[in-house]
Amino acid sequence: MRKTQWFDFRNFFHKPSLNSSIKSRPFKAYSFVPFSPFAMLDPTILTIGGIILGIAIIERILERWGVIDLSDDFAKVMRFILPVTFYGALFYFFATFMF
């Protein structure tokens, strides 16, 4: 006949375990999507952005000089060019981005 052990309920649940039941295993984590902030420094994207920024600065200079007609023409052109350029650059970035 085996001897039965008696445990108090509180001591059984609140007693810290001496041996951990979970063993830690070393593992290596890899990134599936390599992304670097330096990918934004693509010369094509920077050139397009510089041209757009230059046109916006020229528009502001013309506005300050008082050449409002020419400034309005620049604004009308930019209203079309900016969204097209933005979406084109976004498409170019994701098309040339190595996944």
Side-chain angles (χ1 to χ4, degrees):
M1 190 166 161
R2 296 179 71 178
K3 184 177 180 181
T4 306
Q5 291 184 350
W6 182 260
F7 291 106
D8 187 14
F9 183 75
R10 285 188 181 161
N11 290 339
F12 179 74
F13 277 103
H14 295 292
K15 184 178 177 183
S17 175
L18 298 176
N19 297 338
S20 176
S21 62
I22 301 172
K23 295 181 180 179
S24 63
R25 288 181 271 161
F27 66 95
K28 294 182 181 180
Y30 296 100
S31 174
F32 293 109
V33 180
F35 181 75
S36 171
F38 294 112
M40 296 289 192
L41 297 177
D42 185 26
T44 306
I45 301 290
L46 290 177
T47 303
I48 292 171
I51 290 170
I52 298 298
L53 186 63
I55 292 172
I57 290 172
I58 289 171
E59 180 187 346
R60 293 293 177 192
I61 289 172
L62 289 173
E63 199 174 285
R64 286 191 184 175
W65 284 352
V67 189
I68 302 298
D69 294 334
L70 195 55
S71 177
D72 286 340
D73 291 340
F74 269 100
K76 288 177 186 174
V77 170
M78 291 298 287
R79 206 172 291 147
F80 173 74
I81 289 179
L82 280 176
V84 171
T85 306
F86 172 74
Y87 289 118
L90 193 66
F91 177 75
Y92 173 79
F93 176 73
F94 284 116
T96 59
F97 185 63
M98 300 300 289
F99 285 103

